[in-house]
Amino acid sequence: MAQLESYGTIRQSHRREGRMLFTVTEIDLPGIDGDGAHRALFEQPWGWWKGGRISKHRSAPEGGVSFELWPMWLRSPARVGIEMSAPVEAGAQRGGDGEGPRTTVYRTRFFADFVGPGHYEVEHHADGVRVRSVWDGVRATGVVRPMPAAVVMRLHLGAEAGTLPFPFPKGTGFPGLAKHLAA
């Protein structure tokens, strides 16, 4: 878990099954409302992804959005294609202690140099939101394919958390979202 100045807290978990990557990155964003998080994740190009570049941003079938994220622009040829479906309200989640927060889910298909399913979530709380990025069996293809899956996973998690090692840029990924939403 990493504390991001006053912007939020990031937690990550991961596992591999062969070359398939299963990752979860969560960031708590106190004081942020769900509408702002929705706009930043879904309605607008991800200009908040520090050190990266967005290309081919366009509407996708049935109200979704599609774009390519170059997460480490000028330092890596790898790109993450992201096609998100229109958001679905998952409603309150029931746990052992009653009802939980309302969650907005953006089903996602990854393409380009990473292929597979996943989703993004915005979990609505009284004091802010939790944004969650999930890779649910994504595999590296294209220019990234020759790299060992363990290295690909470390780079992916580092890019989302903004903790990439030298020579890659620091502050990429969700720290940029936190800073953008707090501004």
Side-chain angles (χ1 to χ4, degrees):
M1 182 164 34
Q3 184 66 35
L4 304 171
E5 300 172 21
S6 62
Y7 302 118
T9 303
I10 288 184
R11 287 174 302 287
Q12 294 182 302
S13 61
H14 59 87
R15 69 182 167 84
R16 278 187 303 126
E17 291 180 12
R19 295 200 57 84
M20 306 288 270
L21 308 179
F22 297 82
T23 66
V24 177
T25 297
E26 294 182 328
I27 181 168
D28 291 327
L29 301 168
I32 302 301
D33 71 9
D35 290 340
H38 167 77
R39 282 190 300 278
L41 280 174
F42 187 75
E43 292 181 358
Q44 304 164 347
W46 288 13
W48 47 263
W49 190 287
K50 182 180 170 192
R53 180 174 72 97
I54 300 298
S55 64
K56 301 180 185 176
H57 193 275
R58 61 189 173 276
S59 295
E62 300 178 23
V65 66
S66 177
F67 57 93
E68 291 181 7
L69 167 65
W70 301 75
M72 296 174 272
W73 182 241
L74 295 179
R75 289 190 175 82
S76 170
R79 62 200 159 100
V80 181
I82 300 172
E83 184 176 277
M84 285 190 265
S85 298
V88 175
E89 293 296 322
Q93 315 235 332
R94 296 201 179 269
D97 59 351
E99 290 194 15
R102 179 175 60 89
T103 303
T104 306
V105 179
Y106 307 83
R107 298 272 176 234
T108 303
R109 179 184 69 86
F110 296 102
F111 63 94
D113 293 321
F114 300 90
V115 174
H119 61 277
Y120 294 92
E121 297 178 4
V122 176
E123 195 174 273
H124 305 261
H125 296 271
D127 62 345
V129 296
R130 173 176 293 153
V131 174
R132 188 174 294 116
S133 166
V134 178
W135 280 22
D136 198 15
V138 173
R139 62 184 167 75
T141 64
V143 300
V144 185
R145 173 121 178 63
M147 295 174 67
V151 172
V152 172
M153 183 160 0
R154 276 195 309 274
L155 290 172
H156 163 65
L157 291 169
E160 284 195 334
T163 58
L164 289 165
F166 178 80
F168 300 113
K170 296 272 186 220
T172 57
F174 292 106
L177 175 65
K179 202 172 210 177
H180 170 77
L181 292 172

